[in-house]
Amino acid sequence: MDWGGSVLCSVSKAEFDDEKGNSYFSVSLLSLISIGILIAVIGFLFSNSIAEFLCIAQPGLTKDVNSYFVSLIVGMPFLCYMMSLSYFIRADGIPSLPFRAILIANIVNMCCDIIYIKFFGMGLSGAALATSTGYLIGSILISLYFFKKERTLEFIKLKVNSFFNFLKKIVTSGFSSASTQLYLTLKLLIINFLVGLIVGKSGVVAFGICYNSLFILYIFLIGTAQTMSPIVSVYFKEEDYSGVNFIVKRSLKIVLVSSLALSVLLIVYHQALLFLYSVKNPAEVPVVLNAIRIFAISYVGTAITFLYTFYAQAIQKNQLSTIISLLEGFILPISAAIILSYAIGGNGIWISFAIAELLTILFLFGYSKYLDKKTDGEYTGFFINKHNDDEKVFEHTISGDIKDAVNLSRDVQDYLKGNRSATLVSLAIEEMLVNIINNNESVDTIDVIVRNNEENVLISIKDTGVEFNPVIENERLEFDNIAVLNKIADKIDYSRVLGLNSTAITIKN
């Protein structure tokens, strides 16, 4: 829900509809907080029954599991709040704040693991309480967003009918990412039962440690996916497919490097987790070490499929995203775990996670080839991206230099040679770019896309400079460039998207 709402919010801003963007923000955040509180209350009231169900194979673990579950469930409202808000903050162009909040939350989690387990002797319940503590601290830190001057999202009041209409759209858009958590819960239930049945108590301890190790990986995966998703959704909406390629490739490099590094680290220095979780029982140590080494192999595959799930949603391939979540999150790992556990014992369970990731990636390769052939090359590559028509789309990026701006306007005029609006388009671009440069002490890059449609020419300009609306601030600005631009253009739309000024200028042919 949080991811679906943030994507729809980004798209609304790309369509220059700030009110709709604020509506998605308000509905998503309030709904997720309510759900988190509801889950915590229900979980607390029925914790004994849930623990008994989870420990059917090992009744002796019921008390420990109940304690672990209660300690974990109290943090659910904070988790929902922190994760939901972090998506929107990234979509609002302030990615550093949620990254720091989530990073510190995980650091607090790991530090409290040592404090609660090693010094207070709380065992697995201490690990759960440490996680909840991390969520609490992360929620406090991420709330600093509401004191940021540069934030553009605000809470607004909605009528009941409007609230549920927006909620329906959010749920539809974000179903696949939300279902990931559902599949994860079901997978944990089944795998826990299977581990207890095949390996015993030491296996349950090992699986709990392996699962908790994923929190380290998710620091990088969630941060990267949250940053990538709104940018890709906006660029794809604006048909800037080259921009989509750039963002996806960069995101893929980040998750691959981080997942590979963590995988190698835990395979080589697997005893670090034994120290962190104070595993000293001679019967448990070899089982845990073996499980960590094998489980860590799946990290790279997890990184790829996790990123792809969010990417598919960003380009409005919700059905594909749902299929990935279902395959990677439930069907394949459960099937592989059942088959391999009976074939080779406990090791089969740990191997099943890597097998599930591999099979999911192979499915994506096959699907990308199928879609490429089906659409006659409209969608290409592993990430099934479209490509711009060079005859109708002109793309260029300049630095904040007046000379570059003038040269670009001339290049656009040559590109539109024969079009009666060529001179006006060239002049509009020059006036806009000169104003951006003059209005900022420095500006890193300015992206310009020109689309030559049948009825009009659409100019899309994004810059990293200070916020300004060329229509509203027309009279206030000292420069006369914007006054000229407003006379040339048939329509000007402006929005602050992803921390960038996004301006769309329409000039009729």
Side-chain angles (χ1 to χ4, degrees):
M1 184 183 294
D2 46 9
W3 190 90
S6 66
V7 168
L8 293 174
C9 177
S10 297
V11 171
S12 297
K13 283 186 166 290
E15 295 173 343
F16 308 100
D17 192 338
D18 290 337
E19 183 177 356
K20 185 186 290 187
N22 287 329
S23 297
Y24 284 123
F25 171 67
S26 303
V27 172
S28 295
L29 199 57
L30 290 175
S31 299
L32 261 296
I33 293 174
S34 300
I35 291 173
I37 294 173
L38 183 63
I39 292 174
V41 171
I42 294 175
F44 184 78
L45 292 176
F46 297 97
S47 60
N48 287 327
S49 299
I50 295 172
E52 289 174 359
F53 174 76
L54 293 174
C55 300
I56 294 176
Q58 295 285 334
L61 295 175
T62 302
K63 184 178 179 180
D64 290 336
V65 170
N66 181 52
S67 178
Y68 177 89
F69 180 77
V70 171
S71 299
L72 185 64
I73 204 71
V74 295
M76 187 58 64
F78 302 111
L79 171 63
C80 291
Y81 170 75
M82 180 178 67
M83 298 309 297
S84 178
L85 186 57
S86 67
Y87 279 92
F88 285 96
I89 295 176
R90 292 178 189 277
D92 202 21
I94 314 176
S96 59
L97 177 58
F99 175 79
R100 289 197 301 268
I102 294 174
L103 178 62
I104 292 174
N106 281 277
I107 292 174
V108 169
N109 179 8
M110 289 184 285
C111 291
C112 286
D113 274 332
I114 298 174
I115 296 172
Y116 295 155
I117 297 173
K118 191 173 183 62
F119 295 104
F120 292 169
M122 297 177 66
L124 286 177
S125 64
L129 185 60
T131 301
S132 296
T133 304
Y135 294 156
L136 172 61
I137 299 301
S139 296
I140 295 173
L141 293 174
I142 207 165
S143 296
L144 293 174
Y145 168 73
F146 295 106
F147 300 95
K148 294 278 187 180
K149 292 182 178 180
E150 61 267 36
R151 75 180 178 96
T152 65
L153 295 174
E154 299 177 355
F155 280 109
I156 61 175
K157 293 182 179 180
L158 292 166
K159 294 181 179 179
V160 176
N161 289 339
S162 297
F163 184 93
F164 284 102
N165 285 335
F166 279 109
L167 183 61
K168 181 180 178 181
K169 294 177 182 178
I170 292 169
V171 171
T172 302
S173 175
F175 174 76
S176 56
S177 59
S179 63
T180 300
Q181 299 303 315
L182 172 62
Y183 301 144
L184 176 61
T185 303
L186 294 175
K187 180 172 67 176
L188 289 176
L189 291 174
I190 297 173
I191 296 293
N192 257 317
F193 175 81
L194 195 62
V195 168
L197 189 64
I198 303 295
V199 186
K201 182 179 179 180
S202 59
V204 174
V205 173
F207 181 63
I209 293 175
C210 288
Y211 171 71
N212 277 286
S213 72
L214 285 174
F215 283 111
I216 304 173
L217 178 62
Y218 282 136
I219 293 175
F220 303 96
L221 299 190
I222 293 175
T224 304
Q226 285 182 342
T227 304
M228 176 202 73
S229 300
I231 300 175
V232 167
S233 64
V234 170
Y235 281 10
F236 196 84
K237 175 73 176 179
E238 296 182 348
E239 299 180 10
D240 184 2
Y241 305 123
S242 297
V244 171
N245 269 334
F246 174 79
I247 297 299
V248 172
K249 288 179 180 178
R250 190 169 183 177
S251 300
L252 183 61
K253 288 180 181 178
I254 293 172
V255 299
L256 285 178
V257 170
S258 58
S259 60
L260 183 60
L262 182 61
S263 179
V264 172
L265 181 66
L266 291 185
I267 290 174
V268 177
Y269 300 103
H270 43 273
Q271 291 185 340
L273 289 181
L274 292 181
F275 172 78
L276 181 62
Y277 290 99
S278 296
V279 180
K280 299 178 181 179
N281 189 329
E284 295 176 351
V285 170
V287 177
V288 173
L289 289 178
N290 181 58
I292 292 171
R293 283 195 295 262
I294 300 175
F295 187 82
I297 299 173
S298 67
Y299 287 169
V300 175
T302 299
I304 296 172
T305 55
F306 186 89
L307 188 72
Y308 207 114
T309 301
F310 284 78
Y311 169 77
Q313 282 184 292
I315 64 171
Q316 300 299 302
K317 292 287 184 181
N318 293 326
Q319 187 176 9
L320 174 61
S321 185
T322 301
I323 292 173
I324 298 171
S325 298
L326 183 60
L327 286 176
E328 184 269 345
F330 187 72
I331 294 177
L332 292 177
I334 295 299
S335 301
I338 293 174
I339 295 171
L340 293 176
S341 64
Y342 282 100
I344 59 176
N347 283 342
I349 298 176
W350 316 130
I351 295 172
S352 66
F353 292 94
I355 295 296
E357 302 297 344
L358 177 60
L359 292 177
T360 304
I361 292 171
L362 291 176
F363 163 78
L364 292 173
F365 270 113
Y367 178 77
S368 64
K369 295 293 183 183
Y370 162 77
L371 192 62
D372 185 3
K373 185 177 181 180
K374 180 182 178 181
T375 60
D376 294 325
E378 180 182 0
Y379 288 90
T380 58
F382 178 66
F383 281 94
I384 54 174
N385 188 23
K386 293 185 178 181
H387 52 85
N388 291 327
D389 186 344
D390 294 335
E391 295 182 0
K392 294 184 177 181
V393 179
F394 176 91
E395 300 177 69
H396 200 75
T397 299
I398 66 168
S399 57
D401 183 78
I402 296 290
K403 183 178 179 181
D404 289 344
V406 174
N407 290 336
L408 177 59
S409 67
R410 292 174 181 171
D411 292 340
V412 171
Q413 187 167 7
D414 292 338
Y415 164 73
L416 295 173
K417 191 174 183 180
N419 188 315
R420 62 182 182 178
S421 301
T423 302
L424 291 178
V425 173
S426 174
L427 182 59
I429 290 175
E430 182 175 335
E431 300 299 330
M432 184 64 186
L433 296 184
V434 169
N435 180 78
I436 292 172
I437 295 168
N438 288 336
N439 204 37
N440 290 274
E441 293 183 4
S442 63
V443 57
D444 296 330
T445 58
I446 306 174
D447 294 326
V448 179
I449 300 177
V450 180
R451 292 184 178 82
N452 186 15
N453 304 317
E454 292 183 3
E455 298 180 355
N456 56 52
V457 176
L458 179 63
I459 307 166
S460 176
I461 299 176
K462 287 186 176 64
D463 69 270
T464 57
V466 297
E467 180 178 355
F468 82 97
N469 186 325
V471 178
I472 295 177
E473 302 194 19
N474 178 25
E475 298 179 359
R476 187 179 65 82
L477 292 174
E478 299 177 3
F479 310 106
D480 62 351
N481 306 85
I482 294 302
V484 174
L485 174 63
N486 276 273
K487 292 179 181 178
I488 294 173
D490 292 288
K491 182 181 179 183
I492 300 178
D493 292 308
Y494 170 83
S495 182
R496 186 77 174 177
V497 184
L498 307 173
L500 304 174
N501 291 306
S502 180
T503 307
I505 304 167
T506 303
I507 298 177
K508 293 181 179 178
N509 283 324

